[in-house]
Amino acid sequence: MQLKLRLYSEHDRETISRLWNGTFYDTRLHRERFFDDVLPHVHCIITEYYRKPRAMFCLIPATLCGCEAFYLYGLAVDPEYRGLGIATTIMKRLFRWCDENSCLLYVIPHSARLFRFFKFLDMEPALYYSYHFCKHPRPTPKGTNMIIKDISDDEYLLFRHRYFLMNPGATPCEEFVRFGLRDIRESGGRVARISFGYARFAAVFAVINGCVVLNEALACDEDLDFILPYIQYRYKCRFAISFSWSRDLSEKRFNGFVYCGNKMKYEDICKKYTGEAKC
C-alpha cells in the first residue's frame, strides 16, 4: 500500500479535527486543549492515501524502563477508509523506524477491538499493574492522623520521576502528563500526597459510585495493603481500589503493548533496568 507520511502543520488543523471526531468521543474542549497544549510538543503525523489525508497519529516522547520511547496516541483512520490496511501499514512503518532509531514504541488500547489489533501485530504485553481491593474499612487509631493533601502538577511530576527511577513503567512528556492531570481535576478527581504511618506516596484518585479509586498510586504493594482500609474509612465508601505499577511480569494484568525491535525483549529490558533477576 502506497502511503505518504508527513508532519502536521497548522494548515492541517481542520483535517485532524475531522479525523479525531470520526474516531474518538472526546468533548470539543478536551480535543482543543490537546491540540493547543500538547500537540506543539509531540510529533503529529498525517498519513496521505492517494494524496488525500486519511489518517493521523501522534508520537509522544517518553521513557520506558529508562529507554528512549514513543507513546503512540490518537491513531485515527477516516471511517470511509477503514478495512483497507492503512493502520496496519502505518504500524509496520513505525516498527521499521524504531529498528532504525533504536527506540521503543508503546501503546495503551482503550477498547477490546484495539486490544486485539495490537496483539495481532505481535507487540509484547507491557505496563503491568497490581490491583488492590479492600472492603473492610478501618478507622485510624486514636491520636493518629492520615494526611491527604492536594499537590501541584510540579510536585506530582517530581513524585513520578523519583518513583520511576526504581520501578519499571512509562513516563510520557511533561506536557501530556499535565494535560491528563487537568482532566482529572476538572472531572472531580484529586491529585494528592497521602501520608500515614510508614506509607508516604502520591496518587491520583476519585470517589465514584460509593467507591474510592486510586487510578495511579505511586506506591509499593505493602504500602497500599496497609493504607487502603484507612482511606476507605475516611471517605465512608463501600470499597477501596487501587492500581499501581508492577515489577512482576508474571502478572496477568497489563495495560498496554510495546514494540522493542532489534530482537530485544521487554522482560530483558525490565531486568536490566531494575537490576533484578525478575521484575
Side-chain angles (χ1 to χ4, degrees):
M1 174 176 285
Q2 296 297 315
L3 297 180
K4 178 183 177 182
L5 275 60
R6 62 173 176 81
L7 285 171
Y8 157 87
S9 71
E10 282 298 327
H11 301 294
D12 295 310
R13 182 75 172 236
E14 184 177 341
T15 296
I16 64 172
S17 294
R18 175 179 57 81
L19 291 168
W20 194 282
N21 287 340
T23 303
F24 307 112
Y25 300 98
D26 302 329
T27 64
R28 182 178 181 276
L29 178 60
H30 182 275
R31 183 191 71 220
E32 293 301 320
R33 279 181 179 169
F34 178 80
F35 291 167
D36 292 338
D37 299 342
V38 182
L39 209 60
H41 305 281
V42 306
H43 308 291
C44 181
I45 311 296
I46 304 295
T47 303
E48 294 184 352
Y49 181 55
Y50 287 103
R51 300 185 179 181
K52 297 292 184 179
R54 301 303 182 193
M56 65 162 287
F57 61 91
C58 297
L59 294 176
I60 297 176
T63 57
L64 179 62
C65 293
C67 298
E68 180 184 6
F70 289 92
Y71 173 25
L72 176 63
Y73 183 82
L75 175 59
V77 178
D78 189 322
E80 294 184 8
Y81 287 83
R82 291 175 188 167
L84 300 178
I86 291 177
T88 301
T89 303
I90 288 172
M91 294 305 299
K92 290 180 178 178
R93 293 266 192 98
L94 287 175
F95 293 162
R96 288 201 301 271
W97 182 80
C98 288
D99 288 340
E100 293 167 359
N101 292 275
S102 300
C103 60
L104 311 182
L105 178 74
Y106 74 92
V107 63
I108 301 175
H110 292 291
S111 71
R113 179 180 61 83
L114 287 175
F115 191 95
R116 291 191 298 269
F117 172 69
F118 292 113
K119 187 177 181 180
F120 165 77
L121 293 171
D122 290 330
M123 296 181 75
E124 293 183 74
L127 309 180
Y128 288 79
Y129 65 90
S130 297
Y131 170 79
H132 298 259
F133 176 83
C134 176
K135 62 179 180 180
H136 300 296
R138 184 184 308 151
T140 55
K142 187 175 181 180
T144 64
N145 184 33
M146 178 172 58
I147 298 173
I148 300 179
K149 180 182 178 182
D150 291 327
I151 58 177
S152 67
D153 288 359
D154 288 340
E155 290 174 294
Y156 192 76
L157 285 165
L158 182 58
F159 269 104
R160 269 186 133 254
H161 173 72
R162 290 173 177 170
Y163 180 82
F164 287 121
L165 286 177
M166 301 182 63
N167 295 276
T171 304
C173 70
E174 179 179 308
E175 291 79 14
F176 185 77
V177 176
R178 291 181 186 275
F179 168 73
L181 294 177
R182 182 175 180 176
D183 265 3
I184 288 164
R185 290 190 179 97
E186 292 186 352
S187 62
R190 293 181 65 183
V191 181
R193 174 173 58 84
I194 301 173
S195 304
F196 183 61
Y198 57 78
R200 301 170 186 272
F201 60 91
V204 171
F205 72 96
V207 177
I208 305 170
N209 297 326
C211 177
V212 58
V213 181
L214 280 67
N215 293 307
E216 181 180 65
L218 303 176
C220 65
D221 291 344
E222 292 79 7
D223 284 358
L224 290 169
D225 286 336
F226 166 73
I227 207 167
L228 272 185
Y230 300 114
I231 295 176
Q232 181 188 353
Y233 184 85
R234 165 74 70 90
Y235 289 97
K236 308 300 181 187
C237 290
R238 293 174 296 152
F239 308 109
I241 300 172
S242 73
F243 300 91
S244 61
W245 299 89
S246 176
R247 301 163 68 92
D248 186 357
L249 298 189
S250 66
E251 285 273 6
K252 294 182 179 179
R253 303 182 183 94
F254 57 92
N255 202 30
F257 291 93
V258 64
Y259 177 79
C260 298
N262 296 324
K263 298 182 179 179
M264 294 188 295
K265 291 292 184 183
Y266 179 64
E267 182 177 3
D268 295 333
I269 292 172
C270 286
K271 287 178 180 178
K272 182 178 179 181
Y273 185 63
T274 58
E276 296 179 0
K278 186 177 183 181
C279 295

